[in-house]
Amino acid sequence: MIPPYMSKQKHWIYWPSIILATWVGLFLIYGWKSTQYMLDLYSEAASTMLVGESAHGIAAMAYPPPLVALYIPFVYLGESIQRVAMLGVMSCILVFIFSTIQSMIVGKKPLKSTIIFWCTVALVVGRYVTSPVENYSHDIVIAGFVFLAIRLWANQKEGTGGAVMGVAAACKATPLLFFPFLLLQRRWKAAIVMGIVTVIVFKIPDYLFTKNVGSWSGYWFSLVTNSLNQVEGTTKVSNWTVWNQLNQSLAGTIVRLFSTPTISNKDAVDIHLIVLQPQTIKWIIFVSRVAILGILVAALYKRPQVPMKMRRFCEGAMIVCGMLLLSPMSSKAHFFLLLLPAVLMVRFFIWEHRDWIIGSILIVMFVYGTLSVKDLIGKEAGHAVLATGSVTWCTLLAMLGTWRVMWVHQSSLDSS
């Protein structure tokens, strides 16, 4: 029998070793590449916040002030050191996320089937997992907060989970979608704590880093308010443009399906079905968003008779799909969170029930998503498939697939 102190010592050696190995691996794959464009944008915005200058023309100021403030420690580092440090941060978050999936969703399974599980997950959503890593995107940081909050809720720590999700919402805004569903499920403690923490964290940069004119929060609200029009082109944020195949939100895909690309977009591939008036497109977007919210309400209003841990992760998976679809701008790096619905569907299909609907969804996500990358089918064809909203529709399928997991699990319990 191993003495308790030796077991604890082994634990403290194991996790730092895993993180270090991940860090070295990421550095060998990505550290030597000049792919830190996003990190440069964050550093520019953080430098602006630090000195309190005007934020006009700083692209990364489209992100909420707390997210920009997170990158202030990187300002005084050289480019190479920034890259190494950020890879270290991402290593910690990735180890946490994947260990959470292994311990709380997969559990103790035979080695062979576990390998099959992870290989299948990689085939279905691997491209979305690697995208924010190679681009040094903040989306891994947000994903870390989201996974931590869901994990805490799965362990019935409502207040703490609400606080963590409040930090995520203050840094990104889209996790605010969790708030109305906490209210819908009468999870008052989690909702109240989330709301309070969101407001406090969102305002902290205004007090720590004074802006020469106005406030950082006020500037962000004005910028976003003037950038939400997806149709008429009044946006002040470059990526929230009228026609951009990189925007895989529901609104972005609908615009591309019913309008022609702008002349300024050199990589654009015209895939429109018919050309509609801007006002008609607005109505289609509005109805589509209401439909997404309707699906979420229908799935989450009545608490399914699913074990608490699985229920919380399924609910979280559906809401993150809603976040990605309802956001005005969702680029490929944002879809790292598709990892959550993917692991739930693959786990259910391998170890619970070989449901043909879930199996079909996984195949479509693999063919339409993974096999359509430009490295496999060419740049022009890849852009064309992306313009059709391949990631958008895969996200919608992931949402419906997770709902199917909950529904089939409920039906199995009822029949038992």
Side-chain angles (χ1 to χ4, degrees), residues 90-391:
M90 290 194 292
S91 298
C92 295
I93 297 172
L94 288 171
V95 168
F96 165 72
I97 289 174
F98 282 97
S99 64
T100 295
I101 292 172
Q102 182 62 47
S103 62
M104 299 196 68
I105 297 178
V106 177
K108 295 181 179 180
K109 303 293 183 183
L111 178 60
K112 182 179 178 180
S113 59
T114 300
I115 293 174
I116 293 174
F117 166 84
W118 283 113
C119 288
T120 306
V121 169
L123 290 174
V124 175
V125 293
R127 63 175 294 200
Y128 311 117
V129 173
T130 59
S131 178
V133 180
E134 63 183 338
N135 291 294
Y136 296 83
S137 173
H138 68 280
D139 294 285
I140 286 185
V141 177
I142 302 302
F145 285 131
V146 171
F147 268 86
L148 176 57
I150 296 173
R151 176 175 180 145
L152 290 167
W153 285 334
N155 288 322
Q156 302 186 47
K157 297 179 180 179
E158 290 288 284
T160 311
V164 174
M165 193 62 76
V167 175
C171 291
K172 182 67 175 178
T174 49
L176 279 172
L177 187 60
F178 278 87
F179 183 75
F181 288 97
L182 292 175
L183 296 177
L184 183 70
Q185 295 181 328
R186 298 181 179 86
R187 295 163 59 189
W188 308 119
K189 184 176 181 180
I192 292 170
V193 173
M194 178 182 172
I196 293 173
V197 171
T198 299
V199 174
I200 292 174
V201 174
F202 187 78
K203 293 296 292 182
I204 285 177
D206 289 334
Y207 295 106
L208 295 181
F209 312 102
T210 306
K211 191 172 182 292
N212 53 5
V213 179
S215 65
W216 299 114
S217 57
Y219 174 80
W220 182 79
F221 273 117
S222 65
L223 182 67
V224 172
T225 301
N226 292 317
S227 300
L228 290 177
N229 191 318
Q230 292 285 321
V231 179
E232 295 179 358
T234 59
T235 178
K236 291 185 180 180
V237 181
S238 59
N239 285 336
W240 295 6
T241 52
V242 175
W243 206 105
N244 183 355
Q245 69 264 22
L246 297 179
N247 185 356
Q248 290 293 306
S249 69
L250 191 64
T253 292
I254 289 173
V255 167
R256 290 191 300 275
L257 291 176
F258 299 111
S259 66
T260 55
T262 57
I263 298 175
S264 60
N265 192 336
K266 298 179 181 179
D267 293 326
V269 180
D270 191 354
I271 50 84
H272 76 274
L273 301 176
I274 56 173
V275 176
L276 299 178
Q277 294 298 316
Q279 194 61 35
T280 304
I281 297 176
K282 281 186 178 181
W283 275 105
I284 295 174
I285 292 172
F286 175 76
V287 172
S288 300
R289 285 172 169 166
V290 170
I292 295 298
L293 290 172
I295 291 172
L296 290 173
V297 171
L300 305 181
Y301 177 69
K302 183 180 178 182
R303 299 182 183 182
Q305 298 302 314
V306 179
M308 176 62 74
K309 289 183 179 181
M310 189 57 58
R311 183 204 312 174
R312 291 291 180 246
F313 280 104
C314 285
E315 291 169 347
M318 291 199 68
I319 294 175
V320 298
C321 288
M323 284 165 41
L324 295 166
L325 292 170
L326 298 176
S327 172
M329 169 61 192
S330 290
S331 64
K332 190 176 73 171
H334 298 171
F335 290 85
F336 177 94
L337 283 168
L338 280 184
L339 175 65
L340 181 53
V343 298
L344 290 167
M345 289 188 292
V346 174
R347 178 197 179 279
F348 188 79
F349 186 81
I350 291 178
W351 290 303
E352 299 290 337
H353 180 63
R354 298 293 174 87
D355 183 73
W356 70 270
I357 294 179
I358 294 175
S360 300
I361 288 174
L362 293 173
I363 291 173
V364 172
M365 290 180 67
F366 171 65
V367 175
Y368 194 22
T370 304
L371 294 185
S372 66
V373 295
K374 60 185 179 182
D375 291 337
L376 293 178
I377 64 175
K379 183 177 180 180
E380 185 174 349
H383 284 159
V385 174
L386 194 62
T388 65
S390 56
V391 185

